[in-house]
Amino acid sequence: MKILTTLLELRSARRTLPGPVGFVPTMGYLHAGHISLVQAARAECASVAASIFVNPTQFGPNEDLARYPRDLPRDLALLEAAGVDLVWTPKVEGMYPSGFQTWVEVEGLTRPLEGGTRPGHFRGVTTVVAKLFNAVGPDKAYFGQKDAQQAAVVRRMTKDLDFPIEIVVCPTLREADGLAMSSRNTFLNPEERQAATVLFLALSAAKSAYDSGEHAAEKLRALVREAVNAEPLARLQYVSCADYDTLEELEAVRGKSLLSMAAYVGKTRLIDNFVIG
Ligand code: PAF
């Protein structure tokens, strides 16, 4: 596995990779969810590239950039064991040299949900993903369904800017008790870790109501609110029942829809979602 830091090194190594090339962008501190993206890429592509870059521009001023967990040696060992051919680990000053002032911004899709509570977040994501796509030049790129809005926004950007890249969205991987895997789960103390299952339980309650015939979106949102309010360590930030493609809030679930939420458990902000309809 080649490990590269500069754009020049990356470009020359990229030329030697047989295509199609699958790409898994990450911010490191990898878990089984990331490895499942690598496995999907491995199954579909002749070569697999990954990146590890904790992107400062997608963190707000009061967010957890400084304490975002990092363990590069462990990440590299996991990627090598999963069969990655090339890893790019750019430096912040390489990605954002002094004088940097060009941004990629998707408009409507980034306004609700995560965009409503994390101003500027998606501008940072789309800018860095566009730079990563330009640098790596993959045929396919792999994202997790857990960040459903991110996947929708990246899909839109890829289409709008004519990147010749297929965006593949892979299922959310969960712990045995249903908690969606996330690098941020490591911030939870044992009590919070137990309380954090409330996200999965709340979404499951709404999904089983939907499966039993409840299609009113507000009823489904109310079930999520009720479940989270019953957990003293959790504080709901938003719950949404929206059209899967446009992310517009629904009155009733008719077609493919996204039931999504963000909640604080202690000081840790977690997100999760289910696709229904
Ligand atoms: O999902 C992530 O880990 C990040 O948002 C991404 C796509 C690697 C961009 O920094």
Side-chain angles (χ1 to χ4, degrees):
M1 183 176 80
K2 288 186 175 145
I3 303 161
L4 310 153
T5 306
T6 69
L7 186 55
L8 223 61
E9 290 167 335
L10 171 73
R11 289 218 161 113
S12 92
R14 166 66 183 88
R15 280 193 283 274
T16 67
L17 286 184
V21 174
F23 175 48
V24 181
T26 81
M27 296 209 299
Y29 215 72
L30 306 179
H31 51 68
H34 296 108
I35 301 306
S36 75
L37 303 182
V38 171
Q39 285 162 348
R42 192 69 280 168
E44 296 177 350
C45 302
S47 309
V48 180
S51 61
I52 300 174
F53 180 62
V54 182
N55 174 35
T57 65
Q58 68 188 76
F59 289 79
N62 301 318
E63 293 183 354
D64 49 4
L65 172 63
R67 64 176 199 130
Y68 197 82
R70 293 156 213 244
D71 190 343
L72 187 60
R74 179 178 161 276
D75 289 344
L76 294 174
L78 287 171
L79 292 177
E80 179 146 42
V84 166
D85 300 292
L86 176 163
V87 185
W88 192 32
T89 58
K91 299 251 180 279
V92 173
E93 54 278 18
M95 289 298 261
Y96 300 110
S98 109
F100 182 91
Q101 51 187 289
T102 303
W103 300 94
V104 176
E105 193 154 11
V106 173
E107 295 189 341
L109 269 182
T110 60
R111 296 222 171 90
L113 313 179
E114 291 299 286
T117 46
R118 304 182 67 190
H121 169 67
F122 284 119
R123 183 175 90 143
V125 170
T126 42
T127 300
V128 82
V129 171
K131 285 174 68 77
L132 293 168
F133 281 1
N134 275 333
V136 176
D139 299 286
K140 294 183 170 206
Y142 294 79
F143 292 84
Q145 171 62 28
K146 185 184 149 266
D147 295 299
Q149 188 177 14
Q150 168 171 280
V153 167
V154 167
R155 208 185 295 115
R156 185 76 250 169
M157 175 197 79
T158 304
K159 192 160 194 250
D160 290 351
L161 296 185
D162 306 316
F163 281 108
I165 300 171
E166 183 189 335
I167 304 301
V168 183
V169 181
C170 300
T172 302
L173 253 69
R174 297 182 179 279
E175 304 289 353
D177 61 4
L179 177 66
M181 289 188 186
S182 163
S183 309
R184 289 192 168 91
N185 293 350
T186 53
F187 294 145
L188 302 165
N189 68 31
E191 217 187 334
E192 291 166 348
R193 168 62 189 82
Q194 213 169 351
T197 55
V198 73
L199 281 85
F200 175 73
L201 297 176
L203 292 171
S204 302
K207 162 98 168 58
S208 61
Y210 172 77
D211 290 340
S212 319
E214 180 57 82
H215 287 194
E218 191 43 35
K219 289 266 172 57
L220 302 178
R221 290 182 204 105
L223 284 167
V224 171
R225 275 187 214 109
E226 207 176 288
V228 177
N229 291 344
E231 169 50 66
L233 292 183
R235 182 168 55 83
L236 187 67
Q237 195 175 33
Y238 68 76
V239 53
S240 157
C241 182
D243 178 87
Y244 185 81
D245 294 312
T246 65
L247 302 182
E248 279 164 18
E249 290 302 319
L250 297 169
E251 290 207 354
V253 177
R254 300 260 175 259
K256 195 173 177 187
S257 307
L258 186 72
L259 192 57
S260 66
M261 63 183 294
Y264 280 92
V265 178
K267 288 198 169 109
T268 305
R269 186 178 182 279
L270 301 174
I271 59 172
D272 201 352
N273 66 79
F274 278 15
V275 179
I276 56 172

